[in-house]
Amino acid sequence: MIIDTHLHLIDQSALRYPWLAGAPALNRDFSYEEYAADARRSGIEAVLHMEVDVDPADIATETAYVKSVAGRAGSLLKGAIASCRPEEAGFEAYLETVKADPFVKGFRRVLHVVPEDLSEGALFRQNIKRLAGTGLTFDLVVLPHQIPKAMALADLAPDVQFVLDHCGVPDINGNAEHPWREHMEAIARRPNVTAKISGVVAYADPATWTVETLKPYVEHTISSFGWDRVIWGSDWPVCTLGGGLTTWIAATHALLAGASESERARLLSGNARRLWRLGG
């Protein structure tokens, strides 16, 4: 069975997503019901929702929305990774409200669509340090050349658990393994960083990619981090750009064909269950 640590829901009647105007292939609603039908057929047993970079005014509303979906009978949703703005003075008060809500398992601030130096600001770094001891994780989504900035955050806050999304966002379509390959080895040396096997089908050529196309990137991520620090995510609906949920799950199983049963279980569910204390 699989724990999906990276589901995005899009409901434009409830929330505002400014970035969708520039992403026509994703500029529609993607509902929990649409996702869950394929997820259940594919062996997904639990799901964490990943923030979708909503309008900043809608951040709290997004969490409430996801919580309402999780409250439906038989819902697969077990928690949320919420959006945040560590660069703002209001983060400390926001953190206090989130700490009181066990449904929220962590935070993410998308860093590859903001000024390069955002994560180097004093307030940003001070607020990231506040996560120590809270049990809340921080997802990092950065481009390969920005991985050193992610390393700096991990070094700055060694008691905070970070999650590197999407295998470090390699440019698979461009066959660009460097400096991604070296940076992945370097960030993996930080014990407080876990890597998420996700997103890669969207970085390959949607018409021609195969399991062999993805293999060098997924295998290097796993070999760098080890089987105890890798988790799995669908990145739905972004994965629909490269074939869809069931295609990505089938590719994942093919990529793990040479792994032991214990290794597969840790990557697909065990590590996520431990990281976010999901039970089961």
Side-chain angles (χ1 to χ4, degrees):
M1 301 298 282
I2 301 170
I3 294 178
D4 182 359
T5 68
H6 207 102
L7 166 67
H8 301 295
L9 298 179
I10 296 176
D11 184 345
Q12 297 183 71
S13 68
L15 299 158
R16 291 165 290 180
Y17 311 83
W19 62 273
L20 279 178
L26 297 173
N27 194 5
R28 69 169 178 87
D29 287 351
F30 287 89
S31 70
Y32 169 78
E33 290 76 19
E34 182 182 350
Y35 165 83
D38 279 340
R40 291 184 185 282
R41 292 168 182 156
S42 303
I44 290 174
E45 62 178 349
V47 183
L48 294 182
H49 183 268
M50 175 58 67
E51 63 90 18
V52 198
D53 204 19
V54 296
D55 185 290
D58 288 348
I59 286 175
T61 306
E62 180 182 45
T63 299
Y65 174 84
V66 176
K67 206 170 179 180
S68 71
V69 175
R72 299 175 190 171
S75 178
L76 295 169
L77 277 163
K78 305 302 179 188
I81 308 298
S83 182
C84 67
R85 294 293 184 270
E87 69 272 22
E88 296 179 359
F91 179 85
E92 185 176 4
Y94 173 54
L95 174 59
E96 290 304 310
T97 65
V98 168
K99 281 163 58 177
D101 184 357
F103 184 73
V104 178
K105 306 298 184 184
F107 292 116
R108 184 174 77 160
R109 173 67 164 119
V110 178
L111 294 177
H112 67 285
V113 296
V114 296
E116 289 264 338
D117 60 353
L118 185 80
S119 66
E120 297 170 353
L123 182 58
F124 189 105
R125 293 185 162 198
Q126 180 182 356
N127 281 329
I128 292 298
K129 288 181 179 180
R130 295 184 193 279
L131 299 182
T134 65
L136 296 164
T137 57
F138 190 83
D139 272 64
L140 296 158
V141 57
V142 292
L143 299 175
H145 76 275
Q146 298 171 319
I147 292 175
K149 296 183 183 298
M151 287 189 263
L153 288 177
D155 290 342
L156 178 83
D159 296 324
V160 175
Q161 176 64 56
F162 294 90
V163 179
L164 182 66
D165 290 354
H166 307 331
C167 294
V169 193
D171 178 9
I172 298 175
N173 194 30
N175 293 314
E177 291 199 36
H178 306 283
W180 170 84
R181 182 168 287 271
E182 294 79 10
H183 286 342
M184 289 295 282
E185 292 169 357
I187 195 170
R189 289 194 284 270
R190 277 75 180 170
N192 59 328
V193 182
T194 289
K196 188 177 295 185
I197 308 301
S198 60
V200 287
V201 295
Y203 309 138
D205 185 319
T208 63
W209 74 263
T210 67
V211 168
E212 293 302 316
T213 312
L214 307 180
K215 185 175 285 188
Y217 301 91
V218 172
E219 287 190 345
H220 184 61
T221 301
I222 295 171
S223 66
S224 295
F225 282 84
W227 292 100
D228 289 326
R229 288 196 294 135
V230 283
I231 56 177
W232 187 88
S234 70
D235 197 23
W236 191 88
V238 182
C239 68
T240 62
L241 304 178
L245 179 63
T246 55
T247 297
W248 169 224
I249 291 174
T252 298
H253 287 306
L255 289 162
L256 299 179
S260 70
E261 183 177 344
S262 170
E263 290 166 342
R264 287 194 299 272
R266 278 178 273 169
L267 187 153
L268 293 174
S269 62
N271 294 336
R273 188 174 284 115
R274 183 186 73 250
L275 194 62
W276 288 292
R277 300 169 299 284
L278 296 175

